Amino acid sequence: MIEAGLSEFSKWLAATPLSHTIQTAGWIIPTLQTIHILSVAVVFSSAILVDLRIWRLLECDVPLPEVARRFLPTIWPVLLILLTTGSLLIVGEPRRSLLNSTFYLKMALLALAVVLTVGLQWSLSSAPEFWEKDRGRRMAGRFAASVSILIWCCILFAGRWIAYY
Ligand code: HEM
């Protein structure tokens, strides 16, 4: 039922003038993919650098809130670029993503990553010592950072996997 609806929607989307333009102009898809992957690099590295700082694996001499202030705000505008380029890639080849369960897995993981990142940013802006107050907090922070690294890596795999599944 849902699959039939998505299939109909994909058919309609593929017949729109915008989709036709994306499909026929040979440069659009490679350009969108290039912008998408460069944006992936920015978002992924920003999130991972903060997670590694929580593990005290880098920038140990810089306070965690300072590292978070340096890297986390970059994520939000670049996510908008990812959303735009990703959506245009879908418009160009709707069936490839909209009928692909890996695509929905990637979106669900992305929602989780966003919730974790917002939580981290919010906790540090409301209490700079939040994750370093005592041993329990430090362990919880390391656990959250490990989950965050895992989720971002799974998003990368899922993004690449869409082409093969
Ligand atoms: C914000 C919403 C996003 C949308 C709507 C979206 C959508 C897409 C689409 C449609 C593709 C093309 C898949 C294909 O046809 O092979 C793609 C590729 C990919 N995406 Fe996203 N994406 C988004 C965010 C992200 C994020 C946050 C990451 C990782 C941090 C990511 C990582 C990737 C990767 C690694 C690829 C494969 C690129 C390639 O091999 O050319 N995406 N995405």
Side-chain angles (χ1 to χ4, degrees):
M1 173 89 172
I2 294 176
E3 208 175 318
L6 282 171
S7 183
E8 274 306 301
F9 177 67
S10 302
K11 224 182 269 172
W12 171 81
L13 198 56
T16 57
L18 178 59
S19 179
H20 200 251
T21 307
I22 295 172
Q23 289 163 38
T24 50
W27 61 273
I28 298 182
I29 289 181
T31 305
L32 290 172
Q33 284 174 335
T34 304
I35 299 170
H36 199 76
I37 207 74
L38 287 174
S39 307
V40 165
V42 174
V43 167
F44 184 78
S45 50
S46 302
I48 298 301
L49 284 171
V50 177
D51 291 333
L52 292 179
R53 170 60 186 81
I54 292 174
W55 265 100
R56 303 190 70 83
L57 290 174
L58 52 85
E59 303 254 37
C60 293
D61 50 335
V62 183
L64 176 58
E66 174 56 33
V67 175
R69 234 189 333 270
R70 214 185 277 168
F71 295 113
L72 293 186
T74 316
I75 291 179
W76 310 119
V78 182
L79 260 187
L80 271 184
I81 298 175
L82 280 167
L83 185 64
T84 309
T85 50
S87 303
L88 287 170
L89 285 168
I90 294 171
V91 173
E93 283 182 279
R95 295 184 73 85
R96 211 174 137 110
S97 295
L98 295 182
L99 299 181
N100 188 328
S101 51
T102 311
F103 170 73
Y104 296 101
L105 174 68
K106 174 178 158 181
M107 290 299 111
L109 289 169
L110 182 57
L112 270 179
V114 166
V115 169
L116 261 180
T117 311
V118 167
L120 179 63
Q121 210 172 0
W122 175 81
S123 60
L124 286 173
S125 62
S126 58
E129 299 297 314
F130 191 90
W131 296 105
E132 285 168 338
K133 232 177 199 161
D134 52 47
R135 192 167 179 274
R137 289 275 178 93
R138 275 197 297 278
M139 296 308 284
R142 285 178 181 197
F143 177 72
S146 306
V147 172
S148 165
I149 292 171
L150 185 68
I151 292 176
W152 284 112
C153 289
C154 289
I155 295 172
L156 286 186
F157 275 106
R160 206 57 276 276
W161 222 296
I162 294 169
Y164 302 99
Y165 192 69

